[in-house]
Amino acid sequence: MVRQADSAGLSATNTKRVTINEVARDARVSKTSVSRYLGGARHLLSDETRDQIERSITKLGYQPNQMARGLKRGHTRLIGMIIADVLNPYSIAVMHGVEAVCQQHGYTLMVCNSNNDERAEGRYLEILQSYSVEGVILHACARSAANLGQIVRYQAPIVLVDRRLADFDTDLVGLDNYQSTITATSHLIDQGYRDLVFVTEALQGFSTRLEREAAFHLTLRRHPECAGFTLALDVNDAEKLDQELRNFLTSDGAGPKAVLATNGVVTLQASQSLRRLGRQLFEDIGLVGFDELEWSALIGTGITTIAQPTHDIGIAAMDCLLRRLAGDRSAPRHIAFRGQLLVRGSTTRNPSERRRAA
Amino acid sequence: MVRQADSAGLSATNTKRVTINEVARDARVSKTSVSRYLGGARHLLSDETRDQIERSITKLGYQPNQMARGLKRGHTRLIGMIIADVLNPYSIAVMHGVEAVCQQHGYTLMVCNSNNDERAEGRYLEILQSYSVEGVILHACARSAANLGQIVRYQAPIVLVDRRLADFDTDLVGLDNYQSTITATSHLIDQGYRDLVFVTEALQGFSTRLEREAAFHLTLRRHPECAGFTLALDVNDAEKLDQELRNFLTSDGAGPKAVLATNGVVTLQASQSLRRLGRQLFEDIGLVGFDELEWSALIGTGITTIAQPTHDIGIAAMDCLLRRLAGDRSAPRHIAFRGQLLVRGSTTRNPSERRRAA
DNA sequence: CTGTTAGCGCCTTCAG
DNA sequence: CTGAAGGCGCTAACAG
C-alpha cells in the first residue's frame, strides 16, 4: 500500500522531476539524442543508442515537460473550451463531442466554466491564452466582443458554439433556430393549441434566445387564429413563474393552451411550476421544449422536445478549429444544424393518442 | 466587425505574441523591472518606472506567458481533474464545487474526461503531469493503482473523489456509503416493502458500488421478514433490465416490492424500464435511488432519493488538495459525507400519503 | 531602486 | 549518426 502523503514527503528531496539531462547522463548520450528519440526522429539514431535511451527512460520514468516543449516549439497541443454553464446538460454534451475529436487528434482539452459571468469568461480567455492553447471553443456568455477585452487580437483561433458574438465574426456552430422554432410552433398549432406562450430566460441579447423568440412570433403571425406572447423569467424566481403561468392558464384565450420552452432548463422549470400549480402533466396544457434530455420521456405523459444534435455540434466545432489550425484562412463558417422534433404526450391532445405517445 | 479568420491571417506576421522583452524595451527599463512589476514586487519600483511599465503593458496588450513562468518557477497554478464520466451529473456537480474553490484561490482547473476508460485515465494522468499541474482531483475508473502506471511516483498530490483505489491510500472524499445505504434500505422496510432488489451497474470492483451492496445485504440480514438480491446490469442492455424487472415483479415474494438504485443513471434506467413494462410510476413498486437530480421530483409520483452533497464534496476535495499544496504531509484524510434521504411518492405506499408527498 | 546574469527543460540549427 | 551551443519567455540571485 503506497501512501501519497508519504511519497509527497519524499518528493522534496527525492521525487524531483527527472529531466532530459538525467536521461542523457544515464544513457551516456547527449540531450540532443534523447530529444531526437522523443521527437520522432528515431531513425536517425543507431540501434544501440536508441535502446539505451529507451531503457533509461523507462528506468527513470521520464516524461517530457510539456511546458518546456511548448515554450520552445510555440505550440502546446492544448485546446481550451469555455462553457457558459456546466450545469446545463447542453454544454456538457457538446463538450463530449469536442473531446472525442480532441482525443482523436492528440489534443488535450482544458475546460473552464465561466458560470455565465462575463468577467470570468474574459479572464479565462486570457488564462487560456497565457497557457498558449492552440485554439478555443467558446460557448459565450458575453454578447459582444467589446466586453471580452483583448479577444480581438487573440492569437489562437476561436470557434463559437451555440451563441454568436456581436462585432466578432468567427466560425460558429449551433442550431438552426428559425427552422427549429418554426417546427416546434407549427407542431403545437397543428395539434390544436391556440393560445401559446414562449417561455425563456431573460433574453439579455443572447442570439439564440432572440432568434427563437423572433421565429415564434413570426410563425404566430401566419396564424391569425392563434394568440401568443413571450414570458421572460428570472431563473431564480419560481414564484413569479408560478404566478405568470397561473394567469396564463386561467385567462380567456384563443383556445387550448401550450408552452414553448426555450431550453432544457426552462422546460424543467415550467414542468415544476405546473406541478406546483397542481396540474396534471399534461392534461390541460401542452408543452414543447428545446433540448432533449434523458428524462424528457418520463415526465408526465412525456415531454415533446426539439432535440439538438449536441454531440455533432461539438464535433463540428472542433472540426472548424482543426481546419483553422491547419492554416485555413477562409471566411468564417457558420454551421447550423437542424433540430429534430420528438413528439410525446405533452403535445398530444387526444387522450387515446396520448396514451400511445407516452 | 472583426473577422477572426482575417485576424488569424495577420497573426503569422503581425500578432506574434508580445514578450516581456518588448515591454521592457518600450518602457526603457530592464526585463527585471517588468518582471518585478508583474510579480507583485511593485513597491520596489519608483513611481515613474511603474507608470511607464504599466503604460507599455496596456499599450502592447502584453500578457505574461504562463508556460515560461511555470518552467521557471516550477509551479503553474494549474489543477487537473479527471472525471470518469462527464455525462454523469454527479461528476459535474462535484466539478462545480472544485472549480469554485479553484477560482477563489487563483487556480485554473483543467478538466479531462476519461470516459470510464482506464487507459485514457492513465494517459490523462500523465498528460496532466507533463503540464506540471500542481495537484489532481481524480474520480477514478481504474480500481487499482497498479493499472495507473506511474501514479505511485506522481509528484503532484492526488485527491480521490467518490471511489477509492486499491493499493493507493490518499486523501479521499466521498459519501458514507454504509450509512446512506442503511438509511435507504431501512426506509423501504419501514414503508412496508418486503421484497427488495438492489440494482447496480456491474460491480466491477468499484468501491462505491461494493460498499453500497454490502450495506444493503447487511441491513436485510437484520430483517428476516424481508428478502432481497442484487441485480447487476449492463448499462447498454435495456432488454435484460426489462426482463429481470418483469421477473421480479411477477415473482412471488416476501411482500410489497421495491427497487434500490445505486446511482442516478440506474435510477433513470429503472424508471424507463418500469415505464416500458407499462407500470404506473409508482403504484405497485417502490423505488429509492442514490443521487438527487433536478427531475427526481417530477417523475411519476416523485422519486425518493439519497441526496449527496456533491458541491460540498467538490469543495472538500479541493480543500484537501490545498492543504497538501500548503505542505501538509500528514496521513491521508478520508472524508465521508452523510447522504440525505428525500422522501417522495415512490416510497409512499398509502395512496393518501402519496398524494401529499408528490 | 535598478540592471546583469544565469538558468528552468527542451528543441534546433550547425558542425563534426 | 552524434554532440555542442543558443535561445524560447520568464524569474531570481547577485551586484550595484
Side-chain angles (χ1 to χ4, degrees):
Chain A
M1 175 74 75
V2 180
R3 281 233 187 142
Q4 253 271 306
D6 295 358
S7 88
L10 298 174
S11 79
T13 61
N14 192 4
T15 312
K16 182 119 187 357
R17 189 132 171 198
V18 13
T19 77
I20 200 173
N21 273 309
E22 303 166 52
V23 175
R25 193 182 321 132
D26 187 88
R28 297 164 191 287
V29 298
S30 73
K31 298 197 305 183
T32 315
S33 295
V34 180
S35 177
R36 284 203 254 264
Y37 176 90
L38 298 169
R42 291 177 210 192
H43 56 279
L44 297 180
L45 301 173
S46 69
D47 292 4
E48 198 184 1
T49 316
R50 185 171 356 105
D51 293 351
Q52 189 46 247
I53 293 177
E54 193 163 318
R55 244 171 292 149
S56 298
I57 285 184
T58 52
K59 171 178 150 201
L60 302 177
Y62 169 71
Q63 258 194 265
N65 178 330
Q66 298 291 357
M67 292 285 179
R69 275 192 161 172
L71 185 57
K72 182 71 207 179
R73 305 208 282 211
H75 67 255
T76 53
R77 308 251 85 192
L78 227 44
I79 299 292
M81 176 166 186
I82 303 180
I83 62 192
D85 181 8
V86 261
L87 299 182
N88 187 336
Y90 170 88
S91 315
I92 300 300
V94 172
M95 162 184 161
H96 202 227
V98 169
E99 196 188 33
V101 183
C102 279
Q103 200 153 328
Q104 247 168 29
H105 291 260
Y107 283 96
T108 303
L109 184 65
M110 212 167 143
V111 182
C112 311
N113 171 36
S114 71
N115 249 317
N116 269 318
D117 173 354
E118 279 191 39
R119 292 184 41 194
E121 180 168 289
R123 217 170 40 233
Y124 272 128
L125 227 31
E126 285 184 6
I127 289 177
L128 287 178
Q129 172 149 238
S130 72
Y131 281 112
S132 305
V133 296
E134 296 183 35
V136 173
I137 307 261
L138 176 61
H139 186 203
C141 68
R143 271 121 304 163
S144 160
N147 301 329
L148 247 33
Q150 302 294 339
I151 191 177
V152 174
R153 25 168 147 162
Y154 218 70
Q155 302 95 346
I158 297 178
V159 173
L160 257 26
V161 147
D162 191 46
R163 319 209 261 228
R164 72 186 74 225
L165 213 47
D167 309 328
F168 191 67
D169 188 20
T170 340
D171 291 342
L172 168 70
V173 181
L175 191 71
D176 182 337
N177 290 305
Y178 284 95
Q179 169 266 327
S180 304
T181 309
I182 291 171
T183 301
T185 313
S186 303
H187 170 66
L188 284 172
I189 296 173
D190 286 350
Q191 296 294 308
Y193 296 100
R194 290 293 173 265
D195 203 10
L196 311 182
V197 56
F198 179 84
V199 185
T200 175
E201 297 175 68
L203 294 170
Q204 293 181 319
F206 287 118
S207 63
T208 316
R209 294 176 195 167
L210 291 173
E211 288 171 16
R212 291 179 193 173
E213 199 219 5
F216 171 73
H217 288 290
L218 190 78
T219 312
L220 277 183
R221 245 173 277 134
R222 294 204 202 114
H223 290 270
E225 75 276 22
C226 296
F229 68 104
T230 296
L231 170 54
L233 56 88
D234 173 353
V235 189
N236 300 313
D237 192 349
E239 282 197 22
K240 189 190 163 204
L241 175 58
D242 290 359
Q243 180 68 42
E244 298 276 8
L245 279 185
R246 186 184 298 117
N247 287 349
F248 175 60
L249 283 163
T250 56
S251 69
D252 296 338
K257 295 177 197 298
V259 170
L260 176 52
T262 195
N263 67 28
V265 175
V266 172
T267 305
L268 184 72
Q269 293 191 321
S271 304
Q272 286 167 338
S273 177
L274 290 172
R275 237 331 158 63
R276 284 192 297 267
L277 295 178
R279 299 288 164 159
Q280 204 61 30
L281 304 180
F282 296 89
E283 298 245 302
D284 47 3
I285 184 164
L287 172 62
V288 40
F290 276 82
D291 295 340
E292 165 69 1
L293 297 166
E294 38 185 16
W295 42 262
S296 300
L298 289 178
I299 293 194
T301 53
I303 299 178
T304 296
T305 59
I306 296 284
Q308 299 196 47
T310 44
H311 202 256
D312 291 341
I313 289 175
I315 291 175
M318 195 53 207
D319 207 67
C320 287
L321 207 48
L322 288 173
R323 288 190 194 212
R324 296 299 175 193
L325 293 177
D328 178 12
R329 300 274 153 82
S330 56
R333 304 165 68 199
H334 294 182
I335 301 179
F337 283 89
R338 296 180 66 81
Q340 193 195 346
L341 181 72
L342 300 179
V343 179
R344 301 208 177 86
S346 73
T347 55
T348 311
R349 291 189 55 245
N350 179 318
S352 69
E353 275 183 54
R354 184 186 296 146
R355 208 155 305 122
R356 240 178 298 137
Chain B
M1 175 74 75
V2 180
R3 281 230 187 147
Q4 251 271 304
D6 295 358
S7 87
L10 298 174
S11 78
T13 61
N14 192 1
T15 313
K16 181 114 185 4
R17 191 131 169 196
V18 13
T19 77
I20 200 173
N21 272 309
E22 304 167 51
V23 175
R25 193 181 323 132
D26 187 88
R28 298 162 191 286
V29 298
S30 73
K31 299 197 305 184
T32 314
S33 295
V34 180
S35 177
R36 284 203 255 262
Y37 176 89
L38 299 169
R42 293 180 207 190
H43 56 278
L44 297 180
L45 301 173
S46 69
D47 292 3
E48 197 183 1
T49 316
R50 185 171 356 106
D51 293 352
Q52 190 47 247
I53 293 177
E54 193 162 316
R55 245 172 292 150
S56 297
I57 285 183
T58 53
K59 171 177 149 202
L60 302 177
Y62 168 72
Q63 257 195 265
N65 179 330
Q66 298 292 356
M67 292 287 183
R69 271 193 164 171
L71 185 58
K72 181 70 204 176
R73 302 208 283 212
H75 68 254
T76 54
R77 308 250 86 192
L78 226 45
I79 299 291
M81 175 166 187
I82 303 180
I83 61 192
D85 181 7
V86 261
L87 299 182
N88 187 335
Y90 170 89
S91 315
I92 301 299
V94 173
M95 163 185 159
H96 202 228
V98 169
E99 195 187 34
V101 182
C102 278
Q103 199 153 328
Q104 246 168 29
H105 291 259
Y107 284 96
T108 304
L109 184 64
M110 213 167 143
V111 182
C112 310
N113 172 35
S114 71
N115 249 317
N116 270 317
D117 173 354
E118 278 191 39
R119 292 183 42 194
E121 180 168 289
R123 218 170 38 234
Y124 272 128
L125 226 31
E126 286 184 5
I127 289 176
L128 287 178
Q129 172 150 241
S130 72
Y131 280 111
S132 305
V133 296
E134 295 184 36
V136 173
I137 307 260
L138 176 60
H139 186 203
C141 67
R143 269 119 306 161
S144 160
N147 302 328
L148 247 34
Q150 302 294 340
I151 191 177
V152 174
R153 24 168 147 160
Y154 218 70
Q155 301 95 345
I158 297 178
V159 173
L160 257 26
V161 148
D162 191 46
R163 321 209 261 227
R164 73 187 72 225
L165 213 46
D167 309 329
F168 192 69
D169 188 21
T170 339
D171 291 342
L172 168 70
V173 181
L175 191 72
D176 183 336
N177 291 305
Y178 284 96
Q179 169 267 326
S180 304
T181 308
I182 292 170
T183 301
T185 312
S186 304
H187 170 67
L188 285 172
I189 296 173
D190 287 349
Q191 295 293 309
Y193 296 101
R194 290 294 172 265
D195 203 10
L196 312 183
V197 57
F198 179 83
V199 185
T200 174
E201 298 176 66
L203 294 169
Q204 293 182 319
F206 287 118
S207 63
T208 316
R209 295 177 194 166
L210 291 174
E211 288 172 15
R212 291 177 192 173
E213 198 219 6
F216 172 72
H217 290 290
L218 189 78
T219 312
L220 277 183
R221 245 172 278 133
R222 294 204 202 114
H223 291 270
E225 74 276 21
C226 296
F229 67 104
T230 297
L231 170 54
L233 56 88
D234 173 354
V235 188
N236 300 312
D237 192 349
E239 282 198 21
K240 189 190 163 204
L241 175 57
D242 290 359
Q243 180 68 40
E244 298 276 8
L245 279 185
R246 187 184 298 117
N247 286 350
F248 175 61
L249 284 163
T250 56
S251 68
D252 295 340
K257 295 176 196 299
V259 169
L260 176 52
T262 194
N263 67 28
V265 175
V266 172
T267 304
L268 185 71
Q269 293 192 322
S271 305
Q272 286 166 336
S273 177
L274 291 172
R275 237 330 156 63
R276 284 192 297 267
L277 295 178
R279 299 289 164 159
Q280 204 61 30
L281 305 180
F282 296 89
E283 299 244 301
D284 47 4
I285 184 163
L287 172 63
V288 38
F290 276 82
D291 295 339
E292 165 70 1
L293 297 166
E294 38 185 16
W295 42 263
S296 299
L298 289 178
I299 293 195
T301 52
I303 300 177
T304 297
T305 59
I306 296 284
Q308 300 196 47
T310 44
H311 201 256
D312 291 340
I313 289 174
I315 291 175
M318 195 53 207
D319 207 67
C320 287
L321 207 48
L322 287 174
R323 288 190 195 211
R324 295 299 175 194
L325 293 177
D328 178 11
R329 300 274 152 83
S330 56
R333 304 166 68 199
H334 295 181
I335 302 180
F337 283 88
R338 296 181 65 82
Q340 194 195 347
L341 182 73
L342 300 179
V343 178
R344 301 209 177 86
S346 73
T347 54
T348 312
R349 292 190 54 245
N350 180 319
S352 70
E353 274 184 54
R354 184 184 298 148
R355 210 155 303 125
R356 237 178 299 137

